Amino acid sequence: MMATPLADAIRPKSLEDVVGQGHLLAKGAVLRRLIEQGTSANLVFYGPSGTGKTTVANLIAAQTKKRLYRLNATTASLQDIKDIIADVDTLLAPNGILLYLDEIQYFNKKQQQSLLEFMENGKLTLIASTTENPYFYVYNALLSRSTVFEFKPLVAEDVEVAVRRGLSMLQEKAPLPLTWEEGVPAQVAMACGGDVRKAITALELLYDCTEAKQGAVTLTCEDAEQLAQRSAMRYDREGDAHYDLLSALQKSIRGSDPDAAIYYLARLLEAGDLISPCRRLLVIAAEDIGLAYPQAIVVTKACVDSALQIGLPEARLPLAEAAVLLATAPKSNTAHDAIIAAMADVKRGKVGDIPRHLQNVHADSQGQKPTQTYKYPHVYPNRWVAQQYLPDNLVGTQYYHYGENKTEQAAQRYWEGIKGE
């Protein structure tokens, strides 16, 4: 219907029209003050798609009166950067250049370095955006010359403001009278996963697919729901969202919250990811439940094997069983802490010689008097005898500390009784 996509047509022309991001753009917020003062600072905008990064960059360009160039790092080359820099100090860019570089994480180190000289002398202002953590993907020298601002996913109420603005614009441009059922704006806003662009695109598609009846067009909640199915999912198996979900799953289980554990498991499975939750549940069983309930890893392994054998969608059942079991099980990370501490000592060079009596008996030369004095515990009372096991330089070091759960407490009482501690 519209020559310009609706998402571009309704793009805000002032800070007051930007929805959400109050922590950045509210009156008195740092980024807002920088924009109002006509900042020439180099900026990195970090956050999910459709949260206003491009919109704010456009507003900064208008405020500074610099010539705006846009590049997307997924398709741009080093030559594209050179072509833009060639306009510095020419009549094409008398006030300097503002380069908006989208998805900067796709630029390699050499491409990012090519911008540094012109950022240093102030002739080029860079606003880079990324959906990934910039501290992992952006070259350090470039980061040190920039200020990072994080854009948050929008709540449905913020997105609904933009949806209603889009509906008003459609209503003005539509050749036939346009109305909508009361719940349509909220339905579209709720289903977009905090992405305004996705919401407005869905709204435009909803209008395009709705047939006129009796000389008018009415958008329905039923059609909006069908178009919105699965659109709220934010998931990239190589991106931050993937690891955030897995982290949330593990922390919910560690915190003994079965409802949150099931919720994050559902999000992973709904995105079609079966392998990642299987692997993470096995890790959780060892790391967070551990010796408090040693059978947990056995049950979890059986659930994981079953899930991988039957596949989705039925795999959700054994994985849900494992998630609830782990969330409601007693917790212990004593084995986890013990191996971390031991490996830290090894990395620090605390290796020492293995005590002679623990070395392989075949190390003794044949025909010579054995020098080993190893005591075989099974021939002693209670199958235990005192002897040195750690290297000399680590004698007395304690890596494992008994947990407070009943399983480890029982083991502690057992061994203290035998060892006379």
Side-chain angles (χ1 to χ4, degrees):
M1 186 198 86
M2 302 178 66
T4 302
L6 183 60
D8 290 332
I10 72 162
R11 195 179 291 279
K13 302 297 189 295
S14 69
L15 291 175
E16 283 68 27
D17 293 334
V18 178
V19 296
Q21 310 308 336
H23 65 295
L24 299 178
L25 301 175
K27 291 287 187 182
V30 173
L31 181 58
R32 185 183 184 112
R33 297 204 308 267
L34 288 173
I35 295 172
E36 290 174 343
Q37 293 167 9
T39 182
S40 292
N42 300 299
L43 307 173
V44 175
F45 292 163
Y46 157 47
S49 301
T51 53
K53 300 188 296 296
T54 302
T55 294
V56 173
N58 287 338
L59 294 175
I60 292 174
Q63 187 77 13
T64 60
K65 296 180 171 56
K66 291 179 180 287
R67 182 174 176 84
L68 176 63
Y69 290 84
R70 295 185 182 88
L71 286 180
N72 189 301
T74 58
T75 56
S77 65
L78 191 57
Q79 185 59 48
D80 293 320
I81 298 175
K82 292 178 179 178
D83 290 343
I84 291 172
I85 290 174
D87 286 344
V88 172
D89 291 333
T90 69
L91 293 176
L92 292 174
N95 297 316
I97 285 174
L98 190 151
L99 171 61
Y100 179 66
L101 180 58
D102 198 14
E103 304 291 355
I104 189 174
Q105 71 269 19
Y106 290 104
F107 259 15
N108 60 36
K109 184 176 180 179
K110 184 176 181 180
Q111 289 172 308
Q112 293 187 35
Q113 283 179 317
S114 66
L115 301 169
L116 292 177
E117 176 187 349
F118 297 91
M119 292 170 62
E120 288 279 1
N121 61 29
K123 295 180 179 179
L124 182 147
T125 300
L126 175 70
I127 300 180
S129 72
T130 175
T131 55
E132 306 294 346
N133 190 328
Y135 297 101
F136 295 156
Y137 291 95
V138 179
Y139 180 49
N140 284 338
L142 193 149
L143 266 184
S144 69
R145 293 162 175 79
S146 308
T147 303
V148 177
F149 289 99
E150 182 176 1
F151 284 62
K152 304 287 188 181
L154 303 178
V155 298
E157 290 78 7
D158 289 334
V159 178
E160 188 173 342
V161 173
V163 171
R164 291 188 179 278
R165 190 186 303 155
L167 284 168
S168 298
M169 184 168 291
L170 284 173
Q171 206 169 36
E172 292 175 4
K173 303 289 185 179
L176 296 174
L178 171 63
T179 59
W180 50 88
E181 294 179 356
E182 183 178 352
V184 166
Q187 177 71 45
V188 174
M190 191 178 303
C192 73
D195 186 329
V196 171
R197 187 185 302 109
K198 183 184 292 186
I200 301 304
T201 300
L203 177 64
E204 189 169 23
L205 185 60
L206 176 62
Y207 173 83
D208 290 341
C209 75
T210 302
E211 295 181 353
K213 295 180 180 179
Q214 299 178 343
V217 175
T218 301
L219 309 181
T220 68
C221 290
E222 181 181 358
D223 287 345
E225 183 177 3
Q226 290 185 20
L227 281 174
Q229 285 180 354
R230 296 176 67 91
S231 65
M233 294 296 296
R234 284 188 181 277
Y235 196 74
D236 175 1
R237 294 192 189 188
E238 301 301 325
D240 287 348
H242 167 76
Y243 297 105
D244 287 346
L245 283 175
L246 290 172
S247 176
L249 172 65
Q250 181 160 6
K251 289 172 181 173
S252 299
I253 291 176
R254 182 183 296 151
S256 301
D257 189 331
D259 299 305
I262 285 292
Y263 168 74
Y264 291 116
L265 175 63
R267 286 184 60 174
L268 287 158
L269 296 179
E270 184 64 19
D273 189 350
L274 176 58
I275 301 299
S276 295
C278 284
R279 296 176 61 185
R280 186 56 66 104
L281 288 170
L282 287 168
V283 170
I284 294 167
E287 179 178 345
D288 295 304
I289 286 74
L291 297 172
Y293 179 29
Q295 286 296 104
I297 195 167
V298 178
V299 177
T300 302
K301 179 63 164 59
C303 291
V304 165
D305 288 346
S306 298
L308 294 175
Q309 185 171 0
I310 62 181
L312 289 169
E314 289 82 1
R316 68 186 185 276
L317 301 175
L319 293 185
E321 180 182 337
V324 171
L325 172 74
L326 297 176
T328 55
K331 305 298 188 294
S332 173
N333 69 338
T334 53
H336 165 274
D337 288 350
I339 189 62
I340 295 297
M343 292 183 72
D345 271 356
V346 171
K347 289 179 180 178
R348 284 194 292 264
K350 292 186 177 181
V351 289
D353 291 332
I354 297 172
R356 185 70 185 89
H357 59 278
L358 297 186
Q359 295 175 15
N360 190 338
V361 69
H362 298 294
D364 288 318
S365 300
Q366 293 185 0
Q368 296 182 0
K369 182 179 178 180
T371 57
Q372 287 190 322
T373 56
Y374 173 64
K375 298 174 183 178
Y376 188 57
H378 291 295
V379 301
Y380 290 87
N382 297 312
R383 300 179 185 273
W384 178 83
V385 62
Q387 63 183 323
Q388 179 182 332
Y389 290 96
L390 282 169
D392 291 343
N393 61 331
L394 289 171
V395 170
T397 302
Q398 186 176 2
Y399 296 114
Y400 172 69
H401 300 269
Y402 289 99
E404 297 176 352
N405 57 85
K406 65 179 183 180
T407 301
E408 290 180 87
Q409 285 296 299
Q412 183 176 15
R413 287 192 298 271
Y414 174 79
W415 284 112
E416 285 178 349
I418 288 175
K419 297 178 181 181
E421 296 177 354

